[in-house]
Amino acid sequence: MAESTRRVTVLDLADAKRRKTPITMVTAYDWPTARLADEAGIDCILVGDSVAMVVAGRPSTIPATLGQMIYHGEIVGRAATRALVVVDLPFPLQHLGRRRAVAACARLMKETGCQAVKLEGTAGQADVIAAIAAAGIPVIGHVGLRPQAVHQLGGYRMQRDAGPLMADARAAAAAGAFAVLLECVPAPLAAEITAGLDVPTIGIGAGPGCDGQVLVFHDLVGLSLGRVPRFVRSYADTRGSIAAGLAAWRDDVRAGLFPGPAETPT
Ligand code: KIV
């Protein structure tokens, strides 16, 4: 997938599962991060409702609104020309009935230019996934740790109840989800779910047995300010680079070294 210049499609992701080619997905919320992810050949970009935490400094994803998802989704949808762009349906639209969920997903598709949506849910939301898929909207089901349900789940913790997790993933796939995202699921269980589904699984904190992996951009590049979950590996120290650059510029200004001749108009 990474070599092609055309847009990644849901069929490419199904093909990747058949070929056992790992799928890559990363979050992005703005123009520069979406461009960087797209140029890096990442398969899918997720405009996650984690924007509420990562960008707005909120304590959970619950405050994210449909208007905010459209705002960030439209920017990312324009910036990414190759990756499949997925936008999160914010809380609580998947719980307000099929009509409202389909209407909200339709707005995400029409107003952002994205190619798919993702919603958090259990088997109880299968009818909503089916209605969205029936409307021709590609949809991912997010099971396991569902951050929008953090208070009900008692915190951001591993989900170990194999029976319900298996049922939720199967229900999402049977309802027409083109992929299932597994968050904070023990690796052996995630691998078992993956083997039992015809559609790809994309894992976060779910081990290597998933068909793909997703991380939050800021965690991946070392730009997160808060505690980073144990399942994250940071591949860069962007926060350190930015802090060093800012301190160097501050010191140069204070020392009268910036602007120098090169930056001074004549
Ligand atoms: O909103 C988000 O960033 C997500 C990821 C944690 C998968 O759903």
Side-chain angles (χ1 to χ4, degrees), residues 41-65:
I42 305 295
D43 301 315
C44 310
I45 297 179
L46 172 65
V47 187
D49 58 1
S50 52
V51 66
M53 301 175 79
V54 177
V55 174
R58 303 285 195 143
S60 79
T61 59
I62 293 169
T65 66

Side-chain angles (χ1 to χ4, degrees), residues 27 29 46 48-51 61 88 118 120 142 147 181 183 204 214 216:
T27 66
Y29 318 102
L46 172 65
D49 58 1
S50 52
V51 66
T61 59
D88 263 345
K118 171 168 84 59
E120 293 180 18
H142 180 152
L181 191 144
E183 179 163 355
I204 177 163
V214 54
V216 168

